[in-house]
Amino acid sequence: MLLALGAALLLGVKSRATLVLMGLTYLGLSFGLMAVQESEGVAWLAIHVMMIAGALVLVQHDRYAVWPTKQD
């Protein structure tokens, strides 16, 4: 799933929706690692979630999207 979402993000296919799905995937993985008391893995996934949040802020400046979202 992460490979497919990463490829979609690199190709620019619905960037905002792809980033949201990636964020939800990383959030689910973080909860799974918290359940098994794996703190180091949760820290790494938290960094990924922060990068995705930053990308969601900057997605409005996406110029080279294959399938862009509608702009107002």
Side-chain angles (χ1 to χ4, degrees), residues 35-46:
V36 295
Q37 301 292 324
E38 181 64 39
S39 325
E40 187 176 325
V42 174
W44 279 104
L45 288 174

Side-chain angles (χ1 to χ4, degrees), residues 5-45:
L5 289 173
L9 186 61
L10 285 174
L11 290 174
V13 178
K14 293 290 187 184
S15 300
R16 186 167 291 156
T18 303
L19 284 168
V20 168
L21 287 174
M22 288 180 86
L24 291 174
T25 302
Y26 282 129
L27 190 65
L29 288 172
S30 297
F31 280 122
L33 286 177
M34 283 186 243
V36 295
Q37 301 292 324
E38 181 64 39
S39 325
E40 187 176 325
V42 174
W44 279 104
L45 288 174

